Amino acid sequence: MSTATLPKQTGSAPAAATQNATPASSVADAPTDHPRSAPVVETMTMAAALNRALADALIEDERVLIFGEDVGALGGVFRITDGLTARFGENRCFDTPLAESGIVGTAVGMAMNGLVPVVELQFDAFALPAFEQVVSHVAKLGNRTRGDVRLPLVIRIPYGGGIGGVEHHCDSSEAYYTHTPGLTVVSPSTPQEAYSLLRAAIASPDPVVFLEPKKLYWSKGVVDTSVTAELRQAQVIREGSDLTLISYGPSVPIALEAAEAATAEGRSVQVIDVRTLTPFDDATVMEAVRGTGRAIVIAEAPGFASVASEIQARVFEQCFEYLEAPVRRVTGFDTPFASPKFEHWYLPDVDRVLDAIDTLHWED
């Protein structure tokens, strides 16, 4: 991350588009508890950081609109959009019918006409009815028009387990999106990343699928709103020399906890937060693994044909001569998501990571 102040978005929307945008006076009437573009440093939850990022984007760019199921007066199931309708008006943050395909299709039309829609699809599996729009239009329109039509569109999706939910509420469907060329897929692991990466996603001229780990919504951390993040950039978040744990989103805290536990057993463990699942930052990850010679990929999603599998294959292909042991994966099981009572057996935990570490040919 750099420490530069986030740039204000520029560019004007076509006349037809601006007719639907909020008048400048509405933006000017927004409360001034946080002056426009004035950076703040506060301790907040990931949910609050996301809310702040959306609010700052609404303030700084009149083209930004937020919509989805219950995101208006209710503020969303997880209250990520809490207070935004009251603050910015129903033209900037509003509810939609229960029609995910319609939500994304409408966003495509808005983005084609100069607006910057940020849509929320309430739960991961609820996004599947919109999948045809995502794959056939959101991901392909830029290529279809040889770059003449760009889609500055963000699709926010709460995903992953750890909240005691049932199927359709705890899925990890990132592999579907990462398998689709034309999409940038992002998942934050801290409140700071949530703020900075969401601002970067909204500033992107191309579509971003923004996967929010539900179980981390209430995690807390210091957020500096002047800190920017680069999409497509992984980050070494813990140094170590014996092995590298590679993870993203909801599994990053497990990786860090396992690293601490392994250190107590005399091993020096490095941790990488992938952050952007695609396009994948090969340079950062491969440099790290070449330095340690051992790697484990940790992710909640089922392991078969998964993002974890892709990372494992890339490490084998690009670091084979440096490896001291096979690259392992610690993932969810190849089954439908477990019921709340058995969720703790399904999700990767510290013990499973430590068991995988023990298999990395330390005797040599």
Side-chain angles (χ1 to χ4, degrees):
M1 290 185 182
S2 72
T3 56
T5 301
L6 283 161
K8 182 179 179 180
Q9 295 190 21
T10 58
S12 58
T18 54
Q19 289 174 0
N20 294 324
T22 300
S25 58
S26 298
V27 178
D29 291 342
T32 56
D33 53 330
H34 294 297
R36 179 175 301 187
S37 297
V40 299
V41 181
E42 295 177 359
T43 297
M44 62 182 75
T45 64
M46 179 181 285
L50 292 165
N51 179 276
R52 179 61 194 254
L54 293 170
D56 286 352
L58 286 166
I59 290 172
E60 294 186 10
D61 189 339
E62 294 181 0
R63 301 173 303 157
V64 174
L65 303 169
I66 298 168
F67 55 96
E69 296 162 1
D70 295 325
V71 305
L74 180 65
V77 171
F78 297 100
R79 303 297 187 267
I80 305 304
T81 55
D82 191 30
L84 297 183
T85 297
R87 185 176 176 184
F88 296 97
E90 293 182 345
N91 288 337
R92 304 291 304 282
C93 180
F94 54 90
D95 291 331
T96 66
L98 304 181
E100 291 81 6
S101 184
I103 293 170
V104 175
T106 300
V108 169
M110 287 181 168
M112 290 176 67
N113 287 280
L115 298 176
V116 182
V118 181
V119 304
E120 177 180 304
L121 301 179
Q122 206 164 69
F123 287 94
D124 185 282
F126 292 9
L128 297 181
F131 197 60
E132 192 276 335
Q133 287 285 347
V134 174
V135 173
S136 297
H137 303 296
V138 174
K140 291 184 171 62
L141 202 57
N143 184 66
R144 187 179 299 151
T145 61
R146 299 183 180 181
D148 287 342
V149 177
R150 309 283 291 272
L151 289 183
L153 161 63
V154 178
I155 302 174
R156 296 181 39 245
I157 304 175
Y159 88 118
I163 63 167
V166 295
E167 64 171 10
H168 283 76
H169 294 74
C170 294
D171 300 82
S172 296
S173 302
E174 60 266 35
Y176 300 145
Y177 302 107
T178 58
H179 188 68
T180 304
L183 300 175
T184 296
V185 182
V186 177
S187 184
S189 66
T190 67
Q192 179 67 70
E193 284 188 3
Y195 179 87
S196 299
L197 288 170
L198 183 55
R199 294 302 309 275
I202 296 172
S204 172
D206 297 308
V208 177
V209 175
F210 197 86
L211 300 172
E212 301 169 1
K214 292 192 296 290
K215 72 177 184 183
L216 300 183
Y217 272 149
W218 302 278
S219 63
K220 289 186 177 180
V222 175
V223 175
D224 181 344
T225 62
S226 71
V227 173
T228 62
E230 296 288 338
L231 300 178
R232 309 181 178 188
Q233 190 171 75
Q235 192 170 42
V236 176
I237 58 173
R238 188 183 195 279
E239 296 293 346
S241 58
D242 291 336
L243 77 132
T244 303
L245 300 180
I246 307 166
S247 191
Y248 57 86
S251 298
V252 171
I254 297 297
L256 288 169
E257 192 177 344
E260 287 296 325
T263 298
E265 298 176 357
R267 287 166 180 156
S268 177
V269 182
Q270 182 185 53
V271 177
I272 292 181
D273 183 353
V274 173
R275 304 200 306 174
T276 301
L277 282 56
T278 183
F280 189 74
D281 182 1
D282 285 291
T284 299
V285 174
M286 303 313 155
E287 180 182 359
V289 174
R290 287 169 188 148
T292 64
R294 295 178 175 87
I296 297 173
V297 188
I298 307 167
E300 283 190 13
F304 187 83
S306 63
V307 172
S309 300
E310 174 64 22
I311 296 173
Q312 182 188 40
R314 298 173 91 89
V315 172
F316 268 125
E317 288 174 346
Q318 299 179 50
C319 301
F320 184 77
E321 296 86 353
Y322 297 84
L323 294 176
E324 301 286 346
V327 180
R328 303 296 190 195
R329 290 174 298 158
V330 179
T331 68
F333 297 112
D334 297 331
T335 66
F337 194 83
S339 65
K341 187 176 181 180
F342 301 109
E343 182 182 51
H344 64 290
W345 295 110
Y346 179 90
L347 297 172
D349 61 15
V350 171
D351 287 340
R352 287 176 61 193
V353 178
L354 293 177
D355 287 345
I357 291 175
D358 287 340
T359 70
L360 295 181
H361 296 191
W362 299 100
E363 65 278 7
D364 298 333

